[in-house]
Amino acid sequence: MKKLIVIGLLALVGQTANAQFGNILNRVKSSAQSSLENAVVNGVNDAGRSAVKATKNKMKKAKKAKAEEATWTYGEHTYTMKGNLTANKYKKDGFGEVTFTNIPADYDEFEALYTEFLGNTPHGVAAMMPMAMEMYARDREVGKKCIELICYKSNVSSVIPRLKDKFGAALDDSYGQRYLPAAVLKGATAQNGYTPQRPYTVEMEASVNKHQELQIVGSGTVMYIYIIGGGWDTHQRSVELIREPGHLQYQVFNCPSLYTGCRQIQGTWGGLE
């Protein structure tokens, strides 16, 4: 009798163990199947997102390629501009591009460039900021006049002291970065000694920040754009532009990311023409 009871108990334990093992095995199979299905779904979603992103990039490049280009010359220097950025309406896919053969030779050329051509668009004025910085590095008085011409008053008092410190430091000082104006030009990187492509090109696109109207001090529409530069870990350098009521030209309202120290140069800087 005891033997029968023991045998029965063993059989019951065996059945229970088999059932539990079967349940565990089923759960493992179900989990594996679910993981596989999730992996497939995630893979499809990732592929879909990549395809959409690639399509958007192609459309954006095609749109830029078809954009009308305006050209302006001063002596032997040539400037071209294209883009659709404007203070009248925020465009999340807005862009701008300015190319130039040389840095303006003097204040007269810079002023004419601003009043007759580039000053009429936000991307045109934004592209003039590295030009003004370079001119300040070459000649403090001339550069100061250039910065005062294209910058909002409050921005002038922010830009000048920082550039004075950056360009006044010794070349072997890690703080002194004479090549800073070149860091936002297309093709210039720390690795190639901040040597930009020729003709010099400044590429821009709309910021994620929408336009705002000044309310406390002054009046006018402030818009935000990105200059794409290879001198920093974050390639987007934010620049704020403003066009006050009754003014034809835009002004640089704020631009601290343009004079923030970039990556330390590797090699020797060859300068800009």
Side-chain angles (χ1 to χ4, degrees), residues 114-130:
Y114 176 65
T115 57
E116 298 178 21
F117 188 51
L118 293 183
N120 299 324
T121 68
H123 41 288
V125 178
M128 292 190 75
M129 196 62 213

Side-chain angles (χ1 to χ4, degrees), residues 136-194:
Y136 181 82
R138 297 178 182 183
D139 186 304
R140 296 292 191 267
E141 290 303 316
V142 172
K144 184 174 182 290
K145 288 177 62 178
C146 293
I147 291 170
E148 289 174 340
L149 177 67
I150 67 170
C151 287
Y152 198 71
K153 288 183 178 181
S154 60
N155 192 37
V156 173
S157 59
S158 298
V159 173
I160 296 296
R162 290 300 303 274
L163 293 185
K164 185 177 181 180
D165 291 341
K166 295 294 290 185
F167 298 152
L171 293 178
D172 57 353
D173 186 341
S174 60
Y175 181 78
Q177 297 184 323
R178 174 63 183 83
Y179 44 83
L180 191 60
V184 294
L185 301 182
K186 185 176 181 179
T189 65
Q191 289 73 24
N192 67 8
Y194 287 110

Side-chain angles (χ1 to χ4, degrees), residues 77-263:
H77 297 174
T78 301
Y79 303 85
T80 62
M81 172 177 60
K82 61 181 179 180
N84 60 358
L85 292 165
T86 174
N88 298 329
K89 182 180 179 181
Y90 172 76
K91 300 177 181 180
K92 66 178 181 179
D93 61 344
F95 73 95
E97 181 180 287
V98 173
T99 65
F100 48 104
T101 56
N102 298 77
I103 298 294
D106 51 35
Y107 179 77
D108 289 340
E109 180 178 349
F110 189 88
E111 181 183 33
L113 177 63
Y114 176 65
T115 57
E116 298 178 21
F117 188 51
L118 293 183
N120 299 324
T121 68
H123 41 288
V125 178
M128 292 190 75
M129 196 62 213
M131 298 181 196
M133 291 167 60
E134 172 64 18
M135 294 179 75
Y136 181 82
R138 297 178 182 183
D139 186 304
R140 296 292 191 267
E141 290 303 316
V142 172
K144 184 174 182 290
K145 288 177 62 178
C146 293
I147 291 170
E148 289 174 340
L149 177 67
I150 67 170
C151 287
Y152 198 71
K153 288 183 178 181
S154 60
N155 192 37
V156 173
S157 59
S158 298
V159 173
I160 296 296
R162 290 300 303 274
L163 293 185
K164 185 177 181 180
D165 291 341
K166 295 294 290 185
F167 298 152
L171 293 178
D172 57 353
D173 186 341
S174 60
Y175 181 78
Q177 297 184 323
R178 174 63 183 83
Y179 44 83
L180 191 60
V184 294
L185 301 182
K186 185 176 181 179
T189 65
Q191 289 73 24
N192 67 8
Y194 287 110
T195 304
Q197 297 179 12
R198 298 295 304 270
Y200 302 135
T201 301
V202 181
E203 293 184 315
M204 290 151 283
E205 60 186 31
S207 167
V208 295
N209 298 313
K210 295 184 178 181
H211 301 2
Q212 292 185 0
E213 294 295 324
L214 283 181
Q215 296 179 351
I216 299 176
V217 179
S219 60
T221 302
V222 177
M223 64 178 298
Y224 307 82
I225 67 175
Y226 294 133
I227 291 182
I228 310 304
W232 297 263
D233 292 333
T234 302
H235 288 187
Q236 296 174 331
R237 314 313 296 166
S238 182
V239 181
E240 300 171 23
L241 289 306
I242 185 172
R243 187 169 65 179
E244 297 180 280
H247 288 228
L248 295 177
Q249 284 81 32
Y250 288 82
Q251 289 180 299
V252 180
F253 187 72
N254 199 23
C255 59
S257 64
L258 289 186
Y259 50 77
T260 298
C262 56
R263 293 194 190 102

